[in-house]
Amino acid sequence: MTPPAPLHLSLAGQAVDVLREQVLTGEIPTGSRVNEVEVAQKLGISRGPLREAIRHLASEGLLTLVPHRGAFVPDASPEDVRALFELRTALECAAAELAASRRTDVDLVRLQDVCAESRRNYTAGQPFPYRLDLAFHQTLIEAARSPYIAEQVRLVQQRVVLLRSALDDDPPHQHASLDDHDELVRAIADGDAARASTVMRRHLSRVCAQMITSLTH
Amino acid sequence: MTPPAPLHLSLAGQAVDVLREQVLTGEIPTGSRVNEVEVAQKLGISRGPLREAIRHLASEGLLTLVPHRGAFVPDASPEDVRALFELRTALECAAAELAASRRTDVDLVRLQDVCAESRRNYTAGQPFPYRLDLAFHQTLIEAARSPYIAEQVRLVQQRVVLLRSALDDDPPHQHASLDDHDELVRAIADGDAARASTVMRRHLSRVCAQMITSLTH
DNA sequence: AAACTGCCAACTGTCGACAGTTGACATGTT
DNA sequence: AACATGTCAACTGTCGACAGTTGGCAGTTT
């Protein structure tokens, strides 16, 4: 029996969740400003907790703060995307290596399951749900069992989601991603850390390039 | 002429700087609690800005927040140190690779300068100033020219400083670190990314082990 | 004496109001 | 007409006060 564990989060905590959702879904559009009094009223809280929520999201990179001007939903240049993916690559390649050397059998099964479900959704001709891509990377991170890396990956993933102007992944790219995922799982199954890292790097390089082109068009 | 550029930081910003200094220097000892009203009075500000400062430092990992209890200076188990160094290794190995492929000649000169000054201070028999170790890694990061990685490295470095219970690096370890640094610079000078990464990994592995033993004694 | 219960002080979480700054518009000037 | 200046509304930065929760202590029970 866990200790009580605050049944309701603090107002600031709730505000963080609501705002994060609104930012990530685009309900608060890119480039727009977050008005403190307005949003506070809309959430039914005062400005204090809302300010803390805004600061928190800013620390996650989901908002940028301008002194005396307020908080804005950031938009990214191609150069930003490239730099962000350098970070993501560093983190996820390390995670892939660790996963290859630490994975349990149930980790492996989970990864294979996600890949299988991805393929099922893909061959069904439906638009490949980004949800499954996230699930794959999430599962891989858990297999790496490195909490600090996991936390940073989560934050970077969020920023990537924020930049995803487009669900408009083209099928060829999706197909390549599925193959990458499968190859990653095989490398991890073999405990081949070097190959896992190499494949992850190639995978993310492709995703980055795809994202940049879809941003500039 | 840059625009006015807030001559005085916000009170919250100032509080962040003061508190960070106090936490990192140990003026606020590990495990102790930060009393909001007390510290607010001491800093001559109200609780609002101080709370924002505390939240900010918590997001940097320099404080941990406990609901309804307050903010504490965290202490780390050996397992924490290991996990933290997995993150640091991921980031700095990537930085070393990038530095090897992007470094300019002036980057190289800077790195060599830091190494030279380190050796001067070492052979002089003085306790090797941690300052110079930080300077080396900082210079390397700048040579990598990857802003997001740089920012994360800065945060991790801070947390490492927080855990440095000891300036008590033993000379043999220091000597090995100096050699590592020199070898890193050579790899970067040669543009050998793979070797730079390998050396960095070995270097951080050694530092991590040393830090764990000095924590447990 | 050990354990449980009820109370209390201290502190965090939250609120509403005031003060200072910013960008924009209107007015006046060359 | 273009530019400089003065004015203003909107918003952020900050403050002091109130409310709810937590951990500890005193008193009671077994």
Side-chain angles (χ1 to χ4, degrees):
Chain A
M1 204 69 71
T2 57
L7 203 48
H8 23 248
L9 232 42
S10 69
L11 294 187
Q14 293 176 256
V16 166
D17 291 340
V18 173
L19 279 183
R20 174 160 38 214
E21 185 72 13
Q22 291 186 350
V23 169
L24 288 180
T25 62
E27 189 170 341
I28 302 178
T30 296
S32 73
R33 193 170 64 83
V34 177
N35 185 317
E36 291 186 359
V37 297
E38 181 185 330
V39 175
Q41 284 183 344
K42 188 161 291 187
L43 296 183
I45 64 178
S46 95
R47 280 180 56 214
L50 178 62
R51 278 176 69 91
E52 289 182 3
I54 289 174
R55 300 307 212 268
H56 185 91
L57 291 178
S59 80
E60 290 189 358
L62 262 41
L63 292 174
T64 61
L65 265 36
V66 182
H68 293 286
R69 293 287 325 277
F72 297 80
V73 181
D75 58 345
S77 66
E79 191 44 50
D80 282 328
V81 176
R82 225 179 319 262
L84 185 58
F85 264 80
E86 283 173 7
L87 173 58
R88 183 178 177 185
T89 301
L91 294 169
E92 293 215 46
C93 284
E97 291 180 25
L98 290 171
S101 59
R102 293 178 178 176
R103 62 143 187 99
T104 64
D105 288 345
V106 349
D107 290 329
L108 193 56
V109 170
R110 285 200 189 119
L111 283 168
Q112 289 165 339
D113 282 352
V114 175
C115 283
E117 190 175 350
S118 298
R119 288 236 175 252
R120 234 176 295 130
N121 277 272
Y122 175 67
T123 53
Q126 306 162 11
F128 179 48
Y130 185 58
R131 196 195 98 241
L132 286 171
D133 188 73
L134 276 179
F136 176 82
H137 287 270
Q138 183 63 33
T139 306
L140 189 147
I141 289 300
E142 285 167 13
R145 293 193 164 65
S146 191
Y148 287 106
I149 290 182
E151 172 66 5
Q152 293 308 315
V153 168
R154 191 185 67 80
L155 294 176
V156 172
Q157 296 270 24
Q158 262 189 179
R159 287 200 260 191
V160 171
V161 171
L162 179 61
L163 302 184
R164 272 174 46 84
S165 63
L167 291 299
D168 57 15
D169 298 346
D170 56 327
H173 166 68
Q174 292 184 16
H175 188 73
S177 280
L178 290 180
D179 289 345
D180 286 345
H181 287 189
D182 282 335
E183 192 174 350
L184 256 170
V185 173
R186 280 196 296 275
I188 290 172
D190 298 344
D192 189 340
R195 193 161 121 253
S197 176
T198 302
V199 174
M200 178 64 90
R201 183 177 307 255
R202 195 190 62 207
H203 174 55
L204 291 179
S205 167
R206 195 195 327 262
V207 173
C208 178
Q210 212 276 336
M211 188 161 292
I212 287 180
T213 62
S214 97
L215 264 187
T216 52
H217 293 157
Chain B
M1 204 71 70
T2 57
L7 202 50
H8 25 248
L9 229 44
S10 69
L11 293 187
Q14 294 176 257
V16 166
D17 291 340
V18 173
L19 278 184
R20 175 160 36 215
E21 185 72 12
Q22 292 187 349
V23 169
L24 288 180
T25 60
E27 189 170 341
I28 302 179
T30 296
S32 74
R33 193 170 64 82
V34 178
N35 185 317
E36 291 185 359
V37 297
E38 180 186 329
V39 175
Q41 283 183 344
K42 188 160 290 187
L43 296 183
I45 63 179
S46 97
R47 282 179 55 217
L50 177 62
R51 278 176 68 90
E52 289 182 3
I54 290 174
R55 300 309 212 262
H56 185 89
L57 291 178
S59 79
E60 290 189 358
L62 262 41
L63 292 174
T64 62
L65 265 35
V66 182
H68 294 284
R69 294 287 324 278
F72 297 80
V73 181
D75 58 346
S77 66
E79 191 44 50
D80 282 328
V81 176
R82 223 180 320 263
L84 185 59
F85 264 80
E86 282 173 8
L87 173 58
R88 183 177 176 185
T89 301
L91 294 169
E92 294 215 48
C93 283
E97 291 181 25
L98 290 172
S101 59
R102 293 179 177 174
R103 60 137 188 104
T104 65
D105 288 347
V106 350
D107 289 329
L108 194 54
V109 170
R110 286 199 187 120
L111 283 168
Q112 290 164 337
D113 282 352
V114 175
C115 284
E117 189 174 349
S118 297
R119 288 230 176 255
R120 232 175 297 129
N121 277 272
Y122 175 66
T123 53
Q126 306 162 12
F128 178 48
Y130 186 57
R131 196 196 96 242
L132 287 171
D133 188 72
L134 277 180
F136 176 82
H137 287 270
Q138 182 62 32
T139 307
L140 189 147
I141 289 299
E142 284 167 13
R145 295 196 161 66
S146 189
Y148 288 105
I149 291 182
E151 171 66 5
Q152 292 307 317
V153 168
R154 191 185 67 79
L155 293 175
V156 172
Q157 296 269 25
Q158 261 190 180
R159 288 200 261 190
V160 171
V161 172
L162 179 62
L163 302 183
R164 272 176 47 84
S165 62
L167 290 298
D168 57 15
D169 298 345
D170 55 327
H173 167 67
Q174 292 185 16
H175 188 73
S177 280
L178 290 181
D179 288 347
D180 286 344
H181 287 189
D182 282 336
E183 192 174 349
L184 257 171
V185 173
R186 281 196 296 275
I188 290 173
D190 297 345
D192 188 339
R195 194 162 120 251
S197 176
T198 301
V199 174
M200 178 64 90
R201 182 176 307 250
R202 194 190 62 208
H203 174 56
L204 292 180
S205 167
R206 195 195 329 259
V207 173
C208 177
Q210 213 275 336
M211 187 160 292
I212 286 180
T213 62
S214 97
L215 263 185
T216 51
H217 293 158

